[in-house]
């Protein structure tokens, strides 16, 4: 069970969080003209890197805030976490 | 039943930790025995001369004890009877308790005469890979022939069929330093860390602290090793920053320094109170973990080295020194190193002179000299070739080895009643390896030791390959101090005491004896899985090279003991044959649990009603008192129907639904998800979340909304009302309430943080009662005489804030049943009051409560979609909600709706189905086909999502989602349920079966 540092609450065990996928995906703007391929890339396609991965987590059993985490998908090491409006302090 | 009172195998001079004043009665295989307080089941049986405890896994060979602790591969027993019965328990790990009942397993009809032993005689038919080779073909034989055979033949213990009556608990702990194992290095690191002020947990698997200090004759400071151990423990127990746990095994090391430990809380107690857990699981998040798990002695492979009475030398010594028990009175010590001589000395202390067989040419170690000083002649350059004795060892064939130590040059048979063997020591690296440590091979000790760490884990003492007491203590004090310094600023260093131990000479790199001339006795490597040297040879001959493949093919190290005594000998043998060094062969992976853990401990308190939280509406007690039959809806418990007298479920549901259609019914809808939405951008937010338009919803009005996922599939639906300019009250389905909240939070926090909106779950704050039916207005008028409930005063989709007496209440004019209907909300605490009031004033109108079944009937008849239709696989068009989709604005998931497949003409759509015979109920999940006699695969047109008995038309009615549904209306299809083996001809009709124009809700 991972130990994740919520940027609002501090270190908590993984079972208080839910995983929110790739944190680098940007939703196309509302009303934006977008090709089907680009839309499908946004909806369906995600990289599955071995190594460092920027991802989203939500502290569901805590403050309910979404935040960013930089995690190694192979070793589970979490290098850094930060609020949505911040950049990693690495 | 025989009563045997003996204890004839007790030591005369060893002073152990058993209490001879306290006699404990127990039974084994139906016979009664006596042991002492402090005994294990193993030591008590051995003290009574019982060595035959079980049968081996594959060949059903008679087996006794090999070890004295967690390393034990053979002595697995079935404990207790009835619902506490427990299989596959190591007798060496069971503390003797009054009345304990144990029996052998894997044998029939008895351990002494076991039918399965024929496997031993036929063993040439059971070579390595036997299962793979034999049970391959034909495939159809698997279920009926092979699997039952394997299960019967391989059956170990028997699991009880009734629920476990005992209580188990989980506990979460945090500490700076967790020390695993209380031998010399564990005690010293715990003491050093604790004195430096760190928060320390010290865990010991056994009942007694001290590890090897209990078995070795050493001194630390001016105390014996054993005295020093108890002195350190009493110091630690008195420190407020230290938790000391015995009977506690750390069995798993997971990510981010999360370790898991189970504690045997009351297994050893004769009586424990009802609420004392039997075992407890501790999740320990440790800043640093010190792995001081010690080492396990290696066996030696020689002919028939598995007979009852053949022990590890260290185990024999532990039985004497801790349990005052003799494993035999005519011992042979067989060793490739000095440490077994300590066992010889302990025998000598008890006036027993052992025969000593040493593979080495010589040794002048201190222990060897002490034995020689006792006038004992040591047979150097010798080995054991074979043994005799069917149910218990009787003799050994001892031979002199040639110069290459590859053959015996002379053999002689010697009587004995036990053999104590030692092939040196294997560091217990399991936890380090689980933690991700890349092990390295240490050629001085011929074993793997921890090397490059991935987590905050440090091995010390013999777990780290430090086999002398001096090294262990020095490492322990040093590491304990250094690691604790990360957590404290005290910088208090504890000095390492001076210790004294006999020096030891190097071991010989020889773990497998040659075969005696002309004989091929089995030389076992893995006792639990019956893997012999010949099996490893066979695997290599057949081309298996990777050690992981050899492991799986031979099953070496794959039993419950995970190869604690066999892995390294197996590796060593492979490397000998392959002419490689062990590190090139590599090692197999260590995985949790280190020792078996009961399922009860893993599950903890999460059983029965504690498995999940139960959510109940404030009206729950009324439902109970009024004969409701309940159904789980997620965590909620909801009334399903309220049977009267002898009514069946169908009777009750039809009555309740019909009463709504002609009178008035009330339904507890408290479980609906409710989300409070506030902020200046709230209308804009809803406009993006829902498919329809929200900007112009007037205050005091509700609107039905549908939300999609980005992939265009319908996610949830519900009614949301505008309470004031910037304040909305959203309702969700019961099932999706939590997901919808997370979804909203995601878009507000991640995607559109510029929107000024707050969302908050208020599901628990409101109790809701749906009042539905043509007489609902009349009923509520009595309850709220001051409120204008007419079509003008409160039109469809309107809402009004009012009071029920002094209680604030809100009335919504919304309908799920398709009838004239209202929903009344009050604060949760007044829910029961509201419900009772409605029942009260409604009695003269014939009001009846209705449950979830009638609720379903009413919505299915109307063609309203719910969970079965909104299953995450349908876009709005498919479920008849295209009218809800705004063409003017963008919203979540809209772009997906214009994808080619989603605008296809012949997409699936929602329809109604009526059986042609107007009688046959169509099972939900049935497939719809045009012709059920067509050759397979029959083209599938769709499936039945919801079924009910239409109380309006008095015949079955279903909703289905079928390909090109609109064009199918009027046609006849077949609903096929292969599960129930039925085919029903059905007519396709509109899904709006009752009141298709929707006039009733506006009446
Ligand atoms: Zn938080």
């Amino acid at each position: 069970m991972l130990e994740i540092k919520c940027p609002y609450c501090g270190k908590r065990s993984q079972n208080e969080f839910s995983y929110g996928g790739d944190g680098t995906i940007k939703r196309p703007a509302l009303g934006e003209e977008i090709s089907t391929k680009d839309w499908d890339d946004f909806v369906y396609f995600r990289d599955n890197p071995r190594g460092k991965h920027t991802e989203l987590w939500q502290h569901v059993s805590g403050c309910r805030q979404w935040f960013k985490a930089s995690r190694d998908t192979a070793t589970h090491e979490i290098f850094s976490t930060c609020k949505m409006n911040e950049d990693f302090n690495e | 039943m025989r009563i045997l009172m003996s204890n004839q195998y007790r030591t005369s001079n060893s002073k152990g930790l058993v209490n001879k004043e306290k006699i404990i009665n127990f039974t084994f295989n139906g016979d009664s025995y006596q042991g002492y307080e402090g005994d294990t089941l193993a030591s008590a049986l051995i003290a009574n001369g019982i060595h035959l405890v079980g049968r081996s896994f594959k060949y059903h060979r008679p087996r006794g004890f090999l070890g004295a602790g967690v390393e034990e591969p053979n002595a697995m027993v079935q404990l207790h009877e009835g619902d506490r019965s427990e299989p596959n328990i190591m007798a060496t790990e069971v503390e003797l308790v009054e009345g304990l009942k144990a029996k052998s397993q894997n044998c029939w009809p008895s351990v002494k005469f076991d039918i399965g032993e024929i496997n031993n005689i036929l063993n040439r038919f059971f070579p390595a890979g036997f299962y793979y080779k034999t049970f391959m073909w034909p495939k159809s034989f698997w279920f009926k022939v092979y699997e039952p055979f394997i299960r019967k033949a391989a059956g170990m213990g028997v699991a009880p069929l009734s629920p476990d009556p005992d209580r188990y608990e989980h506990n979460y702990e945090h500490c700076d330093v967790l020390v695993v194992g209380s031998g010399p290095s564990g005690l010293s690191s715990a003491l050093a860390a604790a004195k430096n002020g760190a928060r320390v947990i010290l865990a010991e698997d056994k009942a007694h602290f001290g590890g090897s200090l209990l078995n070795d004759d050493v001194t630390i400071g001016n105390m014996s090793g054993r005295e020093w151990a108890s002195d350190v423990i009493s110091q630690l127990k008195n420190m407020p920053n230290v938790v000391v746990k015995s009977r506690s095994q750390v069995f798993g090391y997971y990510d981010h320094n999360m370790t898991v430990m189970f504690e045997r809380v009351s297994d050893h107690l004769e009586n424990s109170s009802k609420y004392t857990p039997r075992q407890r699981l501790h999740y320990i998040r440790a800043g640093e973990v010190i792995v001081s798990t010690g080492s396990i002695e290696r066996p030696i492979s020689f002919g028939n080295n598995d007979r009852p009475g053949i022990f590890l030398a260290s185990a024999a010594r532990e039985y004497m020194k801790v349990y005052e028990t003799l494993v035999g009175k005519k011992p042979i010590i067989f060793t490739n190193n000095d440490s077994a001589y300590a066992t010889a000395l302990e025998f000598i202390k008890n006036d027993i002179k052992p025969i000593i067989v040493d593979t080495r040419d010589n040794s002048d170690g201190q222990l060897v000299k002490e034995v020689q000083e006792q006038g004992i002649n040591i047979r150097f350059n010798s080995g054991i070739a074979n043994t005799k004795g069917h149910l218990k060892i009787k003799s050994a064939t001892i031979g002199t080895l040639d110069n290459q130590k590859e053959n015996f040059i002379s053999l002689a048979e010697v009587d004995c009643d036990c053999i104590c063997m030692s092939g040196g020591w294997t560091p217990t690296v399991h936890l380090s390896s689980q933690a991700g440590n890349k092990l390295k091979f240490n050629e001085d000790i011929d074993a793997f030791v921890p090397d490059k760490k991935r987590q905050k884990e440090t091995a010390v003492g013999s777990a780290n390959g430090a086999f002398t007491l001096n090294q262990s203590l020095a490492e322990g004090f040093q590491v304990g101090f250094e690691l604790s310094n990360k957590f404290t600023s005290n910088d208090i260093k504890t000095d390492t005491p001076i210790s004294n131990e006999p020096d030891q000479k190097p071991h010989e790199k020889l773990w497998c004896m040659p075969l005696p001339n002309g004989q091929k006795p089995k030389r076992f490597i893995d006792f639990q899985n019956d893997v012999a040297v010949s099996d490893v040879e066979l695997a290599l001959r057949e081309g298996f090279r990777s050690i992981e493949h050899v492991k799986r093919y031979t099953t070496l190290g794959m039993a419950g003991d995970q190869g604690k005594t066999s892995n390294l000998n197996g590796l060593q043998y492979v490397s000998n044959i392959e002419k490689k060094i062990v590190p090139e062969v590599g090692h197999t992976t260590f995985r949790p649990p280190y020792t078996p853990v009961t399922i009860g401990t893993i599950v903890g308190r999460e059983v029965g009603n504690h498995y999940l939280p139960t959510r109940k509406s404030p009206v729950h007690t009324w439902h109970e008192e009024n004969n409701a039959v309940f159904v789980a809806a997620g965590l909620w418990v909801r009334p399903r129907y309220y049977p009267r007298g002898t009514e069946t479920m169908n009777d009750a549901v039809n009555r309740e639904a019909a009463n709504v259609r002609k009178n008035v019914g009330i339904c507890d809808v408290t479980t609906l998800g409710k989300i409070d939405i506030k902020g200046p951008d709230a209308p804009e937010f809803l406009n993006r979340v829902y498919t329809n338009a929200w900007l112009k919803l007037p205050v005091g009005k509700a609107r039905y909304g549908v939300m999609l996922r980005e992939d265009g599939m319908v996610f949830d639906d519900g009614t949301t009302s505008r309470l004031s300019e910037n304040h909305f009250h959203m309702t969700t389905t019961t099932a999706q309430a939590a997901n919808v909240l997370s979804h909203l939070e995601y878009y507000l926090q991640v995607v559109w943080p510029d929107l000024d909106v707050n969302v908050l779950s208020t599901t628990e704050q409101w109790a809701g009662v749906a009042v539905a039916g043509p007489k609902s207005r009349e009923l509520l008028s009595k309850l709220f005489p001051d409120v204008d409930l007419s079509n003008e005063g409160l039109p469809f989709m309107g809402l009004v804030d009012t009071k029920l007496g002094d209680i604030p209440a809100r009335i919504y004019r919304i309908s799920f049943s398709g009838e004239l209907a209202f929903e009344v909300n009050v604060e949760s605490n007044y829910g029961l009051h509201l419900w009772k009031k409605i029942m009260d004033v409604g009695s003269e109108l014939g009001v009846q409560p209705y449950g979830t079944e009638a609720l379903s009937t009413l919505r299915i008849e109307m063609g309203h979609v719910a969970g079965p239709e909104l299953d995450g696989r349908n876009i709005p068009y498919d479920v008849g909600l295209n009218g809800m989709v705004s063409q003017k604005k963008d919203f979540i998931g809209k772009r997906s709706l214009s994808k080619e497949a989603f605008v296809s003409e012949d997409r699936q759509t929602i329809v109604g189905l009526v059986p042609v015979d107007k009688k046959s109920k169509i099972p939900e999940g049935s497939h719809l086909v045009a012709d059920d006699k067509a050759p397979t695969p029959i083209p599938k047109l769709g499936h039945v999502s919801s079924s009910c008995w239409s109380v309006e038309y008095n015949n079955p009615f279903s909703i289905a989602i079928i390909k090109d549904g609109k064009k199918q209306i009027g046609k006849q299809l077949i609903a096929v349920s292969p599960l129930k083996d039925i085919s029903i001809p059905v007519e396709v009709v509109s899904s709006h079966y009752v009141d298709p124009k929707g006039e009733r809700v506006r009446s």
Side-chain angles (χ1 to χ4, degrees):
Chain A
M1 187 156 46
L2 308 186
E3 188 176 47
I4 301 169
K5 185 180 176 189
C6 169
Y8 300 88
C9 307
K11 284 183 179 177
R12 299 288 191 276
S13 276
Q14 185 186 347
N15 50 3
E16 292 188 15
F17 298 88
S18 72
Y19 178 63
D22 189 331
T24 62
I25 300 294
K26 275 216 113 41
R27 189 193 189 279
L30 285 170
E32 181 185 329
E33 285 285 320
I34 181 169
S35 71
T36 301
K37 185 188 175 300
D38 287 349
W39 178 257
D40 284 347
D41 280 348
F42 156 66
V43 175
Y44 296 105
F45 292 98
R46 296 293 182 269
D47 290 336
N48 184 18
R50 179 189 168 87
K52 198 178 268 194
H53 187 231
T54 297
E55 55 202 20
L56 300 179
W57 288 80
Q58 189 187 14
H59 194 188
V60 280
S61 300
C63 63
R64 296 207 59 92
Q65 295 299 302
W66 286 88
F67 61 91
K68 291 189 280 190
S70 170
R71 181 179 65 102
D72 189 313
T73 58
T75 65
H76 290 310
E77 185 182 352
I78 294 178
F79 307 105
S80 181
T81 59
C82 67
K83 296 176 182 175
M84 286 310 305
N85 60 358
E86 293 174 346
D87 292 321
F88 292 123
N89 183 17
E90 289 181 67
Chain B
M1 187 169 73
R2 290 169 291 166
I3 304 227
L4 308 165
M5 293 173 58
S6 52
N7 274 297
Q8 73 270 39
Y9 285 90
R10 292 289 181 180
T11 55
S12 43
N13 297 321
S14 293
K15 182 68 198 120
L17 298 168
V18 293
N19 174 12
K20 288 186 170 167
E21 305 296 305
K22 174 99 196 270
I23 295 210
I24 310 249
N25 298 287
F26 69 102
T27 71
F28 181 66
N29 286 336
D31 291 333
S32 292
Y33 298 94
Q34 293 185 330
Y36 301 131
E37 185 179 60
D39 264 326
T40 61
L41 176 60
S43 68
L45 284 170
I46 295 167
N48 284 284
I50 306 297
H51 286 262
L52 175 63
V53 280
R55 291 280 177 160
S56 70
F57 187 62
K58 198 158 79 177
Y59 304 128
H60 287 243
R61 289 168 69 102
R63 288 283 165 82
F65 307 91
L66 177 77
V70 296
E71 73 280 11
E72 177 59 44
N74 293 332
M76 310 291 261
V77 295
Q78 181 101 21
L79 273 195
H80 311 300
E81 291 176 337
D83 47 15
R84 284 198 165 80
S85 184
E86 203 179 357
N88 303 333
I89 303 297
M90 286 177 272
T92 52
E93 288 281 282
V94 179
E95 287 178 66
L96 205 61
V97 62
E98 182 66 30
L100 185 79
K101 290 190 170 80
K103 62 183 184 214
S104 301
Q105 54 188 34
N106 203 25
C107 57
W108 185 85
S110 79
V111 69
K112 284 182 186 156
F113 176 73
D114 174 23
I115 293 277
E117 199 182 351
I118 194 136
N119 291 0
N120 188 26
I121 297 157
L122 301 176
N123 72 54
R124 63 197 173 94
F125 300 116
F126 285 81
F130 169 71
Y131 291 142
Y132 299 109
K133 286 170 180 160
T134 313
F135 299 122
M136 291 275 286
W137 191 89
K139 202 177 166 191
S140 60
F141 268 40
W142 251 106
F143 288 115
K144 286 180 178 153
V145 183
Y146 295 153
E147 196 184 334
F149 173 81
I150 293 174
R151 283 191 185 283
K152 203 173 165 207
M156 294 295 277
V158 182
L161 294 173
S162 45
D164 189 332
D166 288 317
R167 187 183 174 109
Y168 302 83
E169 281 180 358
H170 285 185
N171 178 41
Y172 288 81
E173 293 271 10
H174 293 80
C175 64
D176 297 331
V177 180
L178 167 67
V179 180
V180 187
S182 73
S185 60
L187 288 174
S188 47
S189 48
L191 187 66
K195 281 195 170 174
N196 196 22
R199 293 177 307 148
V200 174
I201 296 177
L202 172 64
E204 168 58 46
D205 155 48
K206 298 210 170 191
H208 302 287
F209 297 96
S212 62
L213 295 174
L214 301 177
N215 303 325
D216 293 345
D217 286 322
V218 295
T219 59
I220 302 175
N222 52 9
M223 289 179 264
S224 72
R226 199 181 273 194
E227 287 163 354
W228 182 80
S230 65
D231 176 64
V232 171
I233 286 295
S234 59
Q235 286 185 59
L236 291 171
K237 281 183 173 168
N238 284 322
M239 297 169 82
N241 52 330
V242 181
V243 173
V244 173
K245 289 273 184 195
S246 59
R247 302 183 173 92
S248 296
Q249 179 77 261
V250 177
F251 65 86
Y253 199 131
Y254 298 90
D255 289 301
H256 295 190
N257 262 30
M258 169 62 83
T259 61
V260 188
M261 169 175 96
F262 78 88
E263 179 187 8
R264 300 185 300 274
V265 182
S266 61
D267 283 342
H268 62 292
L269 302 175
E270 197 177 325
N271 297 301
S272 62
S273 75
K274 186 180 167 191
Y275 297 112
T276 303
R278 182 184 161 217
Q279 295 175 351
R280 193 180 279 135
L281 189 73
H282 299 262
Y283 294 90
I284 305 172
R285 182 85 69 184
E288 292 281 348
V289 176
I290 295 180
V291 180
S292 49
T293 45
S295 51
I296 290 174
E297 199 165 31
R298 285 170 77 165
I300 299 177
S301 298
F302 53 90
N304 291 304
N305 59 337
D306 65 327
R307 298 195 189 282
I310 302 181
F311 286 82
L312 294 172
S314 58
R317 186 157 83 251
E318 184 169 339
Y319 283 118
M320 288 187 273
K321 290 191 76 94
V322 175
Y323 303 107
E324 303 183 20
T325 292
L326 292 167
V327 301
K329 294 178 179 174
K330 266 201 286 184
I332 296 176
I333 310 277
F334 179 31
T335 184
N336 70 358
N337 67 87
D338 274 11
S339 73
Y341 286 80
T343 304
L345 287 168
E346 198 64 27
F347 273 115
I348 293 165
K349 194 201 275 181
N350 288 290
D351 308 319
I352 293 168
K353 291 205 165 181
I355 292 165
I356 300 182
V357 180
D358 194 324
T359 64
R360 297 174 296 179
D361 295 337
N362 214 329
S363 167
D364 60 352
Q366 197 175 324
L367 292 168
V368 180
K369 283 192 213 149
E370 280 178 39
V371 168
Q372 283 168 325
E373 282 160 17
Q374 299 291 327
I376 290 176
N377 176 35
I378 297 163
R379 302 181 188 209
F380 283 112
N381 195 28
S382 298
I384 296 179
N386 204 348
T387 66
K388 284 187 186 162
H390 181 49
L391 299 179
K392 170 83 192 291
I393 182 141
K394 287 198 175 84
S395 70
T397 310
I398 299 174
T400 315
L401 292 158
D402 68 8
N403 284 342
Q404 285 73 42
K405 309 215 175 184
E406 284 171 359
N407 290 291
F408 286 112
I409 44 181
S410 69
L411 291 167
E413 199 170 319
V414 177
D415 284 353
C416 66
D417 68 352
C418 68
I419 295 176
C420 307
M421 60 182 163
S422 176
W425 295 82
T426 309
T428 305
V429 295
H430 297 62
L431 285 181
S432 298
S433 175
Q434 286 180 26
N437 194 307
K438 290 263 173 273
L439 308 177
K440 70 175 175 207
F441 193 74
N442 177 335
E443 290 195 20
D444 292 337
I445 61 169
D446 280 301
F448 287 95
V449 290
D451 185 21
K452 210 164 164 269
K453 61 176 88 169
R454 210 191 76 199
Q455 298 205 45
K456 290 173 178 164
E457 146 269 329
T458 311
V460 295
S462 60
N464 193 33
F467 282 165
T468 70
L469 180 61
N470 273 322
Q471 274 176 297
S472 287
L473 293 172
E475 274 185 13
F477 278 102
Q478 181 69 19
V479 168
F481 167 72
E482 281 173 7
L483 294 181
S484 58
N485 248 4
K486 294 185 177 181
F487 306 98
T488 73
S489 50
N490 296 337
D491 212 31
I492 301 168
K493 191 164 185 174
T494 311
D495 290 334
T496 306
I498 292 163
S499 61
N500 207 326
E501 70 191 309
D503 79 299
Q504 297 196 13
K505 297 298 175 192
H507 68 282
E508 178 154 63
K509 297 174 187 285
L510 186 62
W511 296 273
C512 181
M513 289 298 108
L515 287 169
N517 269 344
Q519 294 175 37
K520 284 187 177 172
K522 281 208 172 291
R523 295 167 295 174
F524 284 95
I525 298 175
D526 181 329
F527 297 97
Q528 194 165 85
N529 261 358
D530 271 348
V531 180
V533 169
S534 53
D535 294 311
V536 175
E537 288 170 343
L538 179 70
L540 293 169
R541 236 182 7 252
E542 294 192 351
F544 292 91
R545 285 297 175 272
S546 152
I547 191 65
E548 293 282 0
H549 292 162
V550 172
K551 166 180 166 175
R552 278 156 187 82
Y553 194 59
T554 60
T555 70
L556 174 80
M558 285 177 68
D561 68 341
Q562 291 197 17
K564 290 185 180 65
T565 53
S566 62
N567 275 342
L568 212 48
N569 279 357
L571 285 178
Q572 189 72 55
Y573 199 73
V574 171
S575 70
N576 286 357
I577 294 182
E578 294 282 285
K579 307 252 183 288
K580 286 179 182 170
I581 50 170
V582 173
E584 284 175 15
V585 175
H587 62 84
T588 55
T589 315
F590 296 96
R591 293 194 177 87
Y594 171 61
T595 55
V597 185
T598 59
I599 300 287
T601 308
I602 291 168
V603 171
R605 293 283 287 140
E606 289 162 20
V607 289
N609 286 336
H610 294 287
Y611 179 61
L612 285 169
T614 303
R615 301 175 82 179
K616 292 175 183 170
S617 118
V619 193
H620 189 82
T621 50
W622 189 95
H623 301 318
E624 280 179 329
E625 288 159 10
N626 288 271
N627 207 29
V629 174
F630 291 96
V631 62
L635 300 179
W636 289 98
V637 182
R638 299 190 70 179
R640 193 175 182 193
Y641 57 99
Y642 304 80
R644 292 177 176 178
T646 57
E647 275 183 341
T648 63
M649 179 172 101
N650 286 344
D651 295 343
V653 172
N654 291 347
R655 169 181 53 73
E656 290 169 15
N659 190 57
V660 173
R661 292 264 184 258
K662 67 172 192 285
N663 271 324
V664 56
I666 67 168
C667 183
D668 186 353
V669 293
T670 301
T671 60
L672 282 183
K674 305 171 200 78
I675 299 170
D676 201 63
I677 302 176
K678 271 185 181 165
D681 296 320
E684 171 61 25
F685 181 53
L686 290 175
N687 216 40
R688 297 179 186 187
V689 165
Y690 281 126
T691 59
N692 50 341
W694 285 82
L695 298 178
K696 291 180 183 147
L697 178 70
V699 172
K701 287 282 183 186
R703 183 167 284 176
Y704 174 68
V706 174
M707 54 179 91
L708 311 185
R709 306 188 307 223
E710 295 285 17
D711 64 2
M713 300 297 160
V714 178
F715 172 40
D716 198 46
D717 69 343
T719 303
T720 292
S721 330
R722 191 167 201 168
L723 304 177
S724 69
E725 186 64 24
N726 297 329
H727 187 190
F728 291 79
H729 174 82
M730 175 186 278
T731 66
T732 74
T733 59
T734 301
Q736 294 285 16
N739 296 337
V740 171
L741 183 66
S742 270
H743 178 78
L744 300 182
E745 286 167 334
Y746 172 81
Y747 280 93
L748 286 172
Q749 295 176 30
V750 179
V751 183
W752 301 310
D754 50 310
L755 290 184
D756 189 358
V757 180
N758 278 302
V759 293
L760 185 71
S761 168
T762 53
T763 302
E764 252 112 48
Q765 277 62 40
W766 295 100
V769 181
V771 184
K775 294 180 184 170
S776 56
R777 182 181 284 129
E778 195 180 344
L779 189 156
L780 285 186
S781 304
K782 293 171 182 243
L783 205 58
F784 300 99
D786 303 335
V787 181
D788 179 3
L789 295 169
S790 70
N791 263 334
E792 294 71 40
L794 185 58
F796 182 55
M797 297 308 266
L799 64 99
V800 59
D801 280 315
T802 179
K803 283 194 166 179
L804 176 65
D806 291 335
I807 307 161
R810 186 175 292 144
I811 307 171
Y812 300 87
R813 173 94 184 266
I814 53 177
S815 177
F816 190 51
S817 58
E819 296 296 327
L820 169 67
F822 302 84
E823 191 185 312
V824 187
N825 279 13
V826 292
E827 281 178 43
S828 283
N829 288 345
Y830 298 113
L832 182 58
H833 172 71
L834 169 69
W835 181 275
K836 284 179 171 170
K837 277 272 185 200
I838 296 173
M839 286 303 293
D840 243 20
V841 302
S843 63
E844 58 189 56
L845 299 172
V847 70
Q848 291 179 18
Y850 62 101
T852 55
E853 287 293 331
L855 186 77
S856 288
T857 295
L858 295 165
R859 72 94 188 164
I860 294 169
E861 277 189 318
M862 287 286 169
H864 291 172
V865 292
E869 289 76 37
L870 307 183
D871 63 355
R873 298 184 298 177
N874 294 313
I875 61 172
Y877 175 85
D878 305 347
V879 286
L881 294 172
N882 230 22
M884 295 292 299
V885 178
S886 166
Q887 300 304 317
K888 292 183 191 142
K889 56 145 194 170
D890 198 2
F891 52 85
I892 293 169
K894 184 177 188 183
R895 177 63 183 81
S896 289
L897 297 182
S898 58
K899 288 174 58 172
E900 195 183 331
F902 290 4
V903 294
S904 156
E905 287 277 297
D906 62 348
R907 263 197 82 80
Q908 54 186 4
T909 40
I910 185 169
V911 295
L913 298 176
V914 178
V916 172
D917 67 3
K918 305 265 175 150
K919 284 194 294 235
S920 306
K921 286 184 161 182
I922 310 162
E924 289 171 353
S926 296
H927 297 282
L928 289 159
V929 298
D931 175 9
D932 63 334
K933 303 287 188 292
T936 53
I938 307 174
K940 184 190 157 189
L941 300 174
H943 75 278
V944 177
S945 55
S946 301
S947 288
C948 73
W949 182 268
S950 166
V951 292
E952 184 90 5
Y953 295 108
N954 219 18
N955 55 253
F957 176 72
S958 294
I959 294 177
I961 292 170
I962 63 175
K963 201 170 164 63
D964 209 3
K966 281 174 193 161
K967 286 199 185 141
Q968 307 280 359
I969 288 176
K971 288 190 187 166
Q972 200 172 310
L973 300 174
I974 315 283
V976 184
S977 174
L979 261 182
K980 302 193 173 178
D981 201 19
I982 49 176
S983 297
I984 302 165
V986 294
E987 192 194 339
V988 182
V989 299
S990 160
S991 58
H992 300 290
Y993 195 43
V994 173
D995 189 27
K997 289 185 183 152
E999 286 165 345
R1000 296 183 189 178
V1001 293
R1002 293 183 171 81
S1003 61

